[in-house]
Amino acid sequence: MNTTLKTYTDGTHRVISPAQTVQNALPHLATMGITRVANVTGLDRIGIPVVNAIRPNSRSLSVSQGKGLSLMAAKASAIMEAIEGFHAEEIDLPLLKGSYADLVTSKRLIDTHSLAYLRGTRFDPHRSITWIKGLDLISDDDVWLPYELVHTDYTLPRSPNAGCFVASTNGLASGNHPIEAINHGICEVIERDAQTIWEHLPFDRKAETLVDLDSVTDKDCRFVIEALQTAGMSVGVWDMTGDIGVATFHCLITDARIEGGHSGGGAGTHPSRDVALLRALTEAVQVRTNYITGARDDLRHDEYEAAGVFEKNHYAQALMAALPDQLVQFENVPSQVSEALEDDLNWLLRRLVSVGVEEAVTVDLTKSEFNFPVHRVVIPGLEGPHDHDDYCPGVRARRRMDFTR
């Protein structure tokens, strides 16, 4: 097997630097409909870089966001997120129409029973839908999966008989190398699974996962924590790492100086606990800046009303104040640091198999004319995004709910 070494490890694990990523992307931005890349860091007082990338004619969200330790890292993050969206909206791969019952006799189909469903829906194996081919990373076999799990073209009208599964960008990832993109996609799906399970815990059980910030020794994480505190932000971090064993954190920040100031929440997953925590911290900054800019298409009116802002702040502050008898020590969170992308991939797949996952499917959405690896990862059996209004908790979340009653 080839070995792809990570050459950039400053707060993230990549094969090239953010500056090189941006340089590679710039000639293609206009073709992909990205008209502006805006530095919005100065709209808040925290100072951690946040950048917007705008695609006005997007078929999903027109504003993508990025964050990082440096402005160049934030630019790369925002641009790559916009690139992901473009690729998932403009899919030119072969598609197949037919019902599960008809196709299963001649094709390998994904385990539809273990996918993330919407509440009140039921997958009909005799109804014709659109399918797309992916690769099961565990068995290395081709597998067909519902197209609505892969694309992000959310314009109306929807495809006939679509709407059974959760429509989101969960598992959609880009990278500077195909395995870099796949690893990112796997980590995102694990993150959503862990957060959905954590969100279904009762309040006191959530509080027990609070991390002792004084135990955090990583210099980059310490830099962000101290920047937040210096800016007058209250910071809380919770360990959401579940049975899969890949480091996952949730971070909440609230404004201690301005009553009614926007809060921010972020999550991060990575084999390295340092990278996972940094992602959660910087995403919390990004989300707060998101509210301040007001630029995202998916923001609701109630999130700007006094009652909505108060509710979010009150919840975060109450969770921060609910100190458990013993805080989670950062060094006790599992961590795996490898030199090569392939090592990370193999380790992630072993962790998934260890909890009974049988399929981890990726669809390669890369377009040869741009040569930016983009993959969509779908993992049956793991939970989908908890914040979807109509999400129906799966087996893993229901098991945790039953266990905690």
Side-chain angles (χ1 to χ4, degrees):
M1 176 183 290
N2 294 330
T3 299
T4 309
L5 297 178
K6 308 169 187 176
T7 62
Y8 186 89
T9 56
D10 187 8
T12 186
H13 291 184
R14 305 294 187 192
V15 296
I16 61 175
S17 69
Q20 187 63 56
T21 299
V22 172
Q23 183 176 335
N24 293 345
L26 286 177
H28 306 293
L29 297 188
T31 306
M32 289 188 278
I34 301 170
T35 59
R36 285 173 291 160
V37 178
N39 176 12
V40 295
T41 310
L43 297 179
D44 199 0
R45 64 177 188 269
I46 297 172
I48 301 300
V50 178
V51 168
N52 285 353
I54 296 93
R55 288 188 306 128
N57 291 322
S58 167
R59 300 178 187 178
S60 52
L61 296 178
S62 62
V63 178
S64 299
Q65 287 190 301
K67 71 284 186 186
L69 291 175
S70 67
L71 181 58
M72 192 60 70
K75 284 183 179 180
S77 175
I79 289 171
M80 293 300 272
E81 184 175 288
I83 287 173
E84 294 165 10
F86 167 78
H87 281 69
E89 293 171 8
E90 303 278 352
I91 297 176
D92 52 10
L93 298 173
L95 303 176
L96 187 65
K97 290 187 180 293
S99 69
Y100 181 97
D102 289 339
L103 296 177
V104 74
T105 59
S106 59
K107 307 285 185 186
R108 177 179 164 184
L109 306 181
I110 200 168
D111 177 12
T112 55
H113 296 289
S114 301
L115 296 172
Y117 281 85
L118 293 175
R119 194 182 306 277
T121 65
R122 178 177 174 273
F123 179 71
D124 186 346
H126 299 285
R127 181 172 293 178
S128 179
I129 63 171
T130 304
W131 303 78
I132 190 169
K133 186 168 67 174
L135 175 70
D136 178 14
L137 297 166
I138 295 174
S139 68
D140 202 32
D141 293 331
D142 290 340
V143 58
W144 291 81
L145 62 160
Y147 182 55
E148 64 177 299
L149 290 171
V150 178
H151 76 81
T152 58
D153 181 354
Y154 300 143
T155 54
L156 297 175
R158 284 190 312 212
S159 301
N161 300 327
C164 183
F165 304 104
V166 176
S168 74
T169 59
N170 188 23
L172 177 62
S174 56
N176 302 290
H177 185 280
I179 299 180
E180 190 178 284
I182 291 170
N183 288 347
H184 186 185
I186 292 174
C187 285
E188 185 170 272
V189 177
I190 292 175
E191 174 192 306
R192 302 289 169 78
D193 171 82
Q195 180 146 25
T196 293
I197 293 172
W198 186 83
E199 293 287 353
H200 281 86
L201 291 174
F203 186 87
D204 59 335
R205 290 293 304 279
K206 289 181 186 176
E208 292 174 359
T209 65
L210 184 65
V211 175
D212 180 3
L213 294 184
D214 289 337
S215 72
V216 176
T217 56
D218 177 71
K219 64 177 181 61
D220 293 329
C221 293
R222 288 241 57 89
F223 171 78
V224 177
I225 291 170
E226 290 166 10
L228 286 164
Q229 294 171 338
T230 300
M233 307 300 295
S234 299
V235 187
V237 172
W238 293 264
D239 175 21
M240 300 192 302
T241 308
D243 55 351
I244 298 175
V246 183
T248 303
F249 296 98
H250 181 51
C251 174
L252 291 173
I253 60 175
T254 59
D255 197 327
R257 292 182 184 172
I258 301 175
E259 185 177 357
H262 286 291
S263 60
T269 296
H270 195 272
S272 163
R273 62 173 170 254
D274 296 342
V275 177
L277 177 56
L278 186 63
R279 286 182 177 178
L281 291 166
T282 54
E283 185 171 275
V285 175
Q286 174 183 287
V287 169
R288 174 177 149 92
T289 309
N290 177 28
Y291 284 117
I292 292 172
T293 64
R296 288 268 293 201
D297 320 49
D298 56 347
L299 298 178
R300 303 188 308 271
H301 289 290
D302 63 282
E303 296 182 89
Y304 283 90
E305 294 174 349
V309 174
F310 172 82
E311 182 180 355
K312 284 190 174 184
N313 284 332
H314 177 73
Y315 170 79
Q317 291 161 0
L319 198 55
M320 291 179 196
L323 297 176
D325 294 334
Q326 189 171 7
L327 297 173
V328 174
Q329 298 301 298
F330 184 64
E331 67 268 19
N332 291 335
V333 177
S335 189
Q336 171 74 17
V337 179
S338 304
E339 294 183 352
L341 297 177
E342 290 82 0
D343 293 335
D344 279 353
L345 176 58
N346 291 331
W347 183 79
L348 288 167
L349 293 177
R350 288 197 300 271
R351 297 311 310 156
L352 290 169
V353 170
S354 73
V355 298
V357 168
E358 297 180 351
E359 293 178 309
V361 180
T362 179
V363 180
D364 186 355
L365 304 179
T366 308
K367 296 178 181 292
S368 58
E369 61 267 38
F370 304 117
N371 197 30
F372 273 96
V374 177
H375 282 252
R376 175 71 158 214
V377 174
V378 177
I379 305 177
L382 298 194
E383 296 291 335
H386 77 283
D387 52 358
H388 194 291
D389 292 339
D390 297 318
Y391 177 65
C392 180
V395 172
R396 287 169 57 79
R398 293 199 304 270
R399 186 187 301 139
R400 182 62 63 92
M401 293 161 64
D402 291 340
F403 177 74
T404 55
R405 283 172 185 164

